[in-house]
Amino acid sequence: MTDEHPASPAPPASPPPSGLRALLPDLAPWRASADFRRLWMSGLITNFGSFLTFVALPVQIKELTGSAAAVGAIGAVELVPLIVFGLYGGALADAWDKRKLIVWTEAGQGLLAVGLLVNAAAPHSAVWPLYVVAALSSALGSVQRPALDSLMPRIVSHEHLPAAASLNSLRWQVGGVAGPALAGVVVAYAGLGWAYAVDLLTFFVSVAICVRLAPSPASHEAAKPSLKSIVEGARYAWSRKELLGTYVIDIAAMLFAMPLAVLPFLADELDAEWSLGLMYASVPAGALLVSLTSGWTSRIHRHGRIVVLSAALWGLAIAAAGVSGNVWLVLLFLALGGGFDMVSGIFRGAMWNQTIPDELRGRLAGIELLSYSVGPQLGQVWLGGMAAWRGVRTSVWSGGLLCVGAVGLLALCLPKLMTYDVRTNEHAVRLRDQRAAAAPVSPV
């Protein structure tokens, strides 16, 4: 592809902070954009409740069935709606008002929390409603996430997008640490119903915040939602081999080395049932530590290399967790893995947000959703089956090693990912120049 816009140097930046300030998160997006603050607070609240359900749902299925395969099947029932609605949700995000999509899907998730609460309160809880709710929640989340992702470049200035990605990740990890840690206590001492009730309450609060977002109508150049528009987005993604690399690297990492489905059984095998909430919290805790010290990320330019390295280190950490027979070492390695995965996520997000045109952003966000969601869903099925066949710990360490091998092979096959540099990449330069010429995107 020829570059109609010759590469121009990035605009001069203010001197970077030094010492401890160089590690602290960059708060520029928070200070500059009211809508970013609203989305951040809404996400923090709803993530907290969602992580309660994230722990409670597999625990309830484990209690009702006693089967690792049945817990892993959650990923199977979530997969089809994720694929279908992720792609179509991306087209909707390009063609509809993003604010409306966010509000209505958030309200729909609240209704699903009601269903979980009613089932948990029944004298004899059934298994099938849990799978139905998991599938419907996957569909709603798949419609909402492209709208959230494609809204971000509209409300945050171009140079602040990496900082926004770090702050959004920080929000996710706060809920990811507090939610599972509290869920272990709530489920054990208060019951599953209380976990679902708190989740329902968080959705009420989140909707109240999201309705205050400014309208975000479709771009004039955006295509109407259709199969043709989805194919157009897929063709663009295929033409961008550096973007393609971020997708497949993340799929491989999550497919082979995401151990969340087998953690209830790993805690039992280590005679440490008390540690289940801590296990679920360890991965986001490691990610939280990275986010709290993420100031250095704004000074990295070769994002593709960092994505590959951190994905491989994630696999090694998970393999170490599977080999270890000590619960405290398991928690440590899970936390290390979460940190490496967070580094990969920050730079994948920066590549996406700094290079994809606005009129394609929703559809590409739908493809991104598949890249970081299909892997974990298939991974639940994979590790659940492997645990039932070869044992829990074997499924974990072998998956980590498979992740390392797959990431290395993909890196060799995708040289454009390894050579990506945000300062000179033609797509990043073009979008940066367009944003520099535009008016401010959001009031303070």
Side-chain angles (χ1 to χ4, degrees), residues 24 49 68 87-89 97 119 122 130 163 204 214 219 236 247 249 341 358 373 375-376 383 418:
L24 296 176
L87 291 173
Y88 191 66
D97 188 301
N119 184 58
L130 305 180
F204 274 118
S219 169
Y236 177 83
Y247 302 151
I249 289 286
D341 184 52
D358 183 72
S373 299
L383 283 175
M418 299 299 290

Side-chain angles (χ1 to χ4, degrees), residues 301-304 416-417 419-426 428:
H301 307 292
R302 297 185 179 275
H303 299 166
K416 284 195 173 183
L417 176 64
T419 59
Y420 175 88
D421 190 322
V422 69
R423 296 167 296 185
T424 57
N425 177 269
E426 62 177 282

Side-chain angles (χ1 to χ4, degrees), residues 117-142:
L117 181 58
V118 170
N119 184 58
H124 301 286
S125 299
V127 175
W128 67 265
L130 305 180
Y131 290 116
V132 171
V133 168
L136 292 175
S137 179
S138 176
L140 287 173
S142 299

Side-chain angles (χ1 to χ4, degrees), residues 13-50:
S14 57
S18 58
L20 181 60
R21 288 185 59 198
L23 294 176
L24 296 176
D26 184 353
L27 299 179
W30 176 277
R31 291 192 295 263
S33 172
D35 275 348
F36 179 81
R37 293 194 294 272
R38 294 185 182 105
L39 278 181
W40 198 92
M41 290 302 301
S42 169
L44 175 66
I45 293 167
T46 192
N47 283 347
F48 176 80
S50 295

Side-chain angles (χ1 to χ4, degrees), residues 54 58 68 71-72 252-267 276 279-284 314-323 330-331 333-335 337-338 341 375-387 391-400 403:
F54 181 74
V71 175
M254 297 296 103
L255 169 62
F256 295 118
M258 176 55 81
L260 300 183
V262 299
L263 290 184
F265 301 91
L266 182 60
L276 178 59
M279 285 186 181
Y280 277 114
S282 292
V283 173
W314 150 265
L316 284 176
I318 297 304
V323 170
V330 170
L331 294 172
F333 288 125
L334 289 175
D341 184 52
Q377 306 309 326
L378 288 176
Q380 290 186 72
V381 180
W382 165 269
L383 283 175
M386 281 291 292
V392 174
R393 290 174 60 188
T394 299
S395 72
V396 176
W397 68 254
S398 63
C403 165

Side-chain angles (χ1 to χ4, degrees), residues 26 83 103 117 181 216 232-233 246 249 327 362 366:
D26 184 353
I83 294 173
V103 170
L117 181 58
S216 183
E232 179 186 358
T246 65
I249 289 286
V327 65

Side-chain angles (χ1 to χ4, degrees), residues 306-317:
I306 300 297
V307 168
V308 170
L309 176 62
S310 53
L313 291 173
W314 150 265
L316 284 176

